[in-house]
Structure formats: C-alpha cells, structure tokens
C-alpha cells in the first residue's frame, strides 16, 4: 500500500459530495476491473466553480483513492486545492480541454484502457451493431485517430472536433473517453459500453457476426430512451454499486 499523505481539505458541502461520488466511482471502477495500474482517469467538475475539477492523485491505485486525497486542479493543470499530490499530465491535458470547451455536457469524464474497449477501438469497424448494448450507441460515438500519448494541448481541438455533438469518443488504437452531465450518467454509459465491447469481442471471436439493421436500431434507441428515464439517468445503478463497494471497503469516504 502506498504511503498516504493527509491533505487538509476545506471545501463547500457541494464539493465534498462531489469528492465522495468521485472517490466511490474510482472504487467501483476498480471493483469491476476497469483500472489500469496507477494510470487512466475519472474527473468531475467542482460544483459551483468555474474551470476547476477533481481528478485522481498520480501514483495511487484506484483502491487507494479517497474523497480527501482527490486533487483539485484548474483547466491549466494548476493545483488549486492544496493537495500534496501531483497529477498525470496525460490526465489533465485531455480532460481539461473537454471540461473547458464542452460545458456541462462534460462535467463528468472517464478514460479507460479495458481490454475489450481497447480491442474495439483497435478494430477497423469500431463498435458494430451486433448486440443489444452496441445498438444503444450507434451513431452516438465519435472516433479520433491515434496520435500518441495525449499530452499535447494542440491535439485537444481535434479531439473536440471529432467528438462533435456526441458523448463518447473512441480513441483509435487507444481507448474510449466517456462523458456526461453527471457522474451517474457517465458511469451507466461506461458500463453499457463495456458490456457492448465485451460481447462484440466474444462474438467476433466465433466468426461472422449478425449485424442488426439500422431500422431496428432506430426503434431500439427510441424505446430505450423511454426506459432510461425510469432508471434515473444512472442514479439507481450508481447508488447500487456504491452499496457494493461500501460492503467491501468504505475507506473511500475518508
């Protein structure tokens, strides 16, 4: 276990709740196997503030992230919360550009390197409409060609351009970026994307997949939008997984 420093956190009630939600999200991702050593990122805008967001401390595993050790930075990457930790440049460069230019639609962002999502990002056809979950995302995903590790600010404009009006950007040969207005919405979107990619990898491994016609995809997405409203835009899902990680280890609340 890494040596845990003890940040002195003074913040609003709204920021503390955001810290709790984000710390829980890191633990949920870790529990689901979506972490990548000390790398990758989930970031969340600080409520009531302009151009500041919370992100994981570089050097800690996801199961070491807590509400108090999250780092508060601005969109230029400056530590504005007094944290003794540093952040990974690849984290704030990419995430900061989305937070800065996309407004509330990018208040919550994750970037992962799961085997299945990276495999689909590395496939010529990307995500194909061959399963229930994949049909959720047809015509709702942008693609961005691989340019190397995302540490150069000038790549940010191309990332935003290739995202367009969508909320998922598949970085080809790399991994997905998933965003939403809320951390709950981002989480449930990431969960469904992961399932879509897992099933596609399994299906393609068996041979030629059965592709769902676009007219059926359209009906599926129409009906799904009604069903999603009943799920509280991911709130029920997120709270359920918070209960699960609480049973395992509730230190994320510290």
């Amino acid at each position: 276990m890494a040596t845990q420093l003890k940040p002195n956190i003074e913040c609003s009630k709204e920021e503390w709740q955001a810290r709790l939600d984000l710390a829980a999200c890191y633990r949920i991702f870790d529990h689901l196997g979506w972490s990548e050593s000390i790398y990758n990122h989930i970031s969340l805008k600080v409520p009531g503030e302009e151009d500041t967001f919370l992100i994981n401390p570089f050097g800690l595993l996801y199961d070491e992230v807590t509400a108090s050790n999250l780092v508060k930075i601005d969109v230029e990457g400056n530590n504005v919360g007094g944290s003794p930790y540093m952040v990974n440049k690849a984290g704030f460069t990419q995430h900061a550009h989305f937070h800065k230019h996309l407004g509330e639609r990018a208040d919550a962002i994750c970037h992962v390197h799961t085997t299945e999502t990276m495999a689909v990002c590395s496939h010529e056809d990307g995500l194909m409409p061959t399963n229930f979950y994949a049909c959720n995302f047809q015509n709702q995903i942008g693609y961005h060609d691989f340019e190397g590790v995302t540490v150069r600010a000038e790549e940010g404009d191309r990332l935003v351009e290739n995202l367009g009006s969508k909320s998922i950007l598949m970085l080809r040969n790399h991994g997905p970026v998933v965003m939403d207005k809320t951390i709950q919405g981002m989480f449930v979107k990431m969960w469904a994307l992961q399932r879509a990619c897992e099933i596609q990898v399994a299906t393609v491994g068996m041979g030629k997949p059965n592709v769902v016609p676009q007219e059926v995809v359209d009906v599926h997405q129409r009906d799904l939008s009604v069903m999603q409203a009943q799920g509280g835009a991911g709130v029920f899902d997120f709270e359920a997984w918070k209960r699960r990680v609480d049973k395992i280890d509730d230190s994320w609340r510290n």
Side-chain angles (χ1 to χ4, degrees):
M1 183 74 78
T3 300
Q4 290 280 357
L5 303 176
K6 296 185 181 299
N8 182 22
I9 299 298
E10 293 184 7
C11 64
S12 67
K13 179 174 66 175
E14 292 77 15
E15 179 180 333
W16 183 249
Q17 184 59 55
R19 284 177 172 273
L20 287 170
D21 287 340
L22 184 55
C25 197
Y26 274 102
R27 298 299 184 96
I28 294 167
F29 272 43
D30 186 68
H31 177 70
L32 291 170
W34 300 349
S35 57
E36 184 85 348
S37 186
I38 61 171
Y39 304 102
N40 291 173
H41 320 281
I42 315 168
S43 60
L44 182 63
K45 184 182 182 297
V46 177
E49 298 186 13
E50 292 296 322
D51 296 334
T52 59
F53 60 97
L54 302 166
I55 199 166
N56 53 317
F58 188 44
L60 297 188
L61 297 169
Y62 279 19
D63 68 356
E64 298 176 306
V65 172
T66 68
S68 61
N69 68 28
L70 288 161
V71 185
K72 181 178 179 180
I73 59 177
D74 64 19
V75 291
E76 305 303 324
N78 300 306
N79 184 333
V80 296
S83 172
Y85 291 100
M86 62 180 288
V87 299
N88 186 349
K89 185 176 182 181
F92 75 72
T93 301
Q94 179 194 93
H95 285 228
H97 205 84
F98 290 127
H99 281 294
K100 183 176 183 178
H101 293 283
L102 298 180
E104 67 174 6
R105 60 184 277 221
D107 278 359
I109 305 173
C110 73
H111 172 57
V112 300
H113 283 179
T114 67
T115 299
E116 296 83 3
T117 59
M118 287 189 76
V120 171
C121 284
S122 301
H123 193 277
E124 182 179 7
D125 294 327
L127 186 65
M128 300 180 289
T130 60
N131 66 72
F132 177 96
Y133 292 112
C135 289
N136 298 4
F137 299 110
Q138 291 309 298
N139 301 316
Q140 297 181 21
I141 293 177
Y143 289 86
H144 175 75
D145 287 340
F146 185 61
E147 298 186 26
V149 63
T150 51
V151 294
R152 290 168 286 105
E154 50 88 16
E155 187 181 359
D157 290 339
R158 291 188 292 278
L159 290 166
V160 169
E161 181 180 358
N162 288 325
L163 175 69
S165 61
K166 302 172 177 67
S167 61
I168 297 175
L169 184 63
M170 299 293 255
L171 307 181
R172 291 196 181 275
N173 311 102
H174 188 169
V177 179
V178 179
M179 59 192 72
D180 196 82
K181 296 179 181 179
T182 68
I183 195 167
Q184 295 87 353
M186 179 274 293
F187 167 74
V188 76
K189 199 178 297 180
M190 175 61 217
W191 184 87
L193 178 66
Q194 174 66 22
R195 293 293 294 131
C197 292
E198 289 172 351
I199 298 165
Q200 176 168 314
V201 169
T203 304
V204 171
M206 295 190 301
K208 185 177 179 181
N210 182 46
V211 177
V212 178
Q214 184 59 48
E215 58 268 23
V216 178
V217 171
D218 292 340
V219 172
H220 172 76
Q221 292 186 351
R222 181 200 67 196
D223 295 345
L224 185 66
S225 65
V226 176
M227 297 293 294
Q228 286 175 331
Q230 297 175 352
V235 173
F236 296 161
D237 305 75
F238 193 66
E239 290 301 314
W241 283 105
K242 280 169 69 175
R243 294 192 298 272
R244 171 63 64 84
V245 296
D246 252 340
K247 293 174 183 176
I248 299 168
D249 177 8
D250 66 358
S251 64
W252 58 270
R253 295 180 177 275
N254 295 337

